Amino acid sequence: MKKKLLSIVLAMSMICAFVPLVASAATSGTCGDNVTWTLDDDGILTISGTGDMKDYESSPFSNEKNNITAVVIEDGVTSIGDYAFFGQYNLKSVTISDSVKSIGKSAFKYNNLESITMPNSIIYIGESAFERCSGLESITIPDSVRGIGKNA
């Protein structure tokens, strides 16, 4: 009986050894009451829906840290949450739609942004929003901005 049980366990172990384990991160989810995100195979993270993104204490995309190269905030989204893209080291570009009115605290802190397109709809840029963006050479702040947090 022991030999038969041992044989079954051994056979199952060998079968399991040949089954590939696939670890995959989520490619979509929510980041606000009516706001969703989708990450495509090219590393483009698209934020869509209506209303505000949630505020976070750390990036909700930390599992995607090495995969995100660009962010597109689509029309309908009205704010970028605190810490939304914090520490996304491979992030190079961000495009923000005209519906966005505010950028949260530390939203893009600690990444390698090279370019960002900010629309004239932006009214407020939060504290440390672009702090430590080592690749960002220049940024144009639209005339619509009425408030900027420290170290932005």
Side-chain angles (χ1 to χ4, degrees), residues 20-146:
L21 294 175
V22 178
S24 64
T27 57
S28 65
T30 61
C31 54
D33 289 340
N34 297 306
V35 181
T36 60
W37 63 272
T38 306
L39 180 62
D40 70 16
D41 292 338
D42 294 324
I44 300 171
L45 180 70
T46 303
I47 309 295
S48 58
T50 56
D52 297 337
M53 285 183 73
K54 289 181 188 175
D55 287 328
Y56 297 93
E57 292 183 17
S58 64
S59 177
F61 310 107
S62 58
N63 290 340
E64 304 301 334
K65 191 171 284 188
N66 297 321
N67 299 328
I68 299 172
T69 58
V71 171
V72 176
I73 313 285
E74 291 188 338
D75 193 43
V77 178
T78 55
S79 73
I80 299 170
D82 293 352
Y83 294 90
F85 308 104
F86 179 92
Q88 298 298 323
Y89 305 115
N90 289 327
L91 180 59
K92 302 286 186 202
S93 69
V94 175
T95 302
I96 302 172
S97 75
D98 289 334
S99 60
V100 175
K101 298 192 181 330
S102 66
I103 299 172
K105 175 174 65 173
S106 299
F108 296 98
K109 188 174 181 178
Y110 287 113
N111 62 53
N112 289 315
L113 270 178
E114 293 173 352
S115 67
I116 182 165
T117 304
M118 270 201 287
N120 286 325
S121 60
I122 300 290
I123 296 170
Y124 181 75
I125 300 171
E127 178 181 327
S128 301
F130 299 99
E131 186 178 357
R132 308 268 176 149
C133 291
S134 59
L136 194 59
E137 293 182 16
S138 69
I139 187 167
T140 302
I141 298 172
D143 293 336
S144 59
V145 173
R146 292 187 177 90

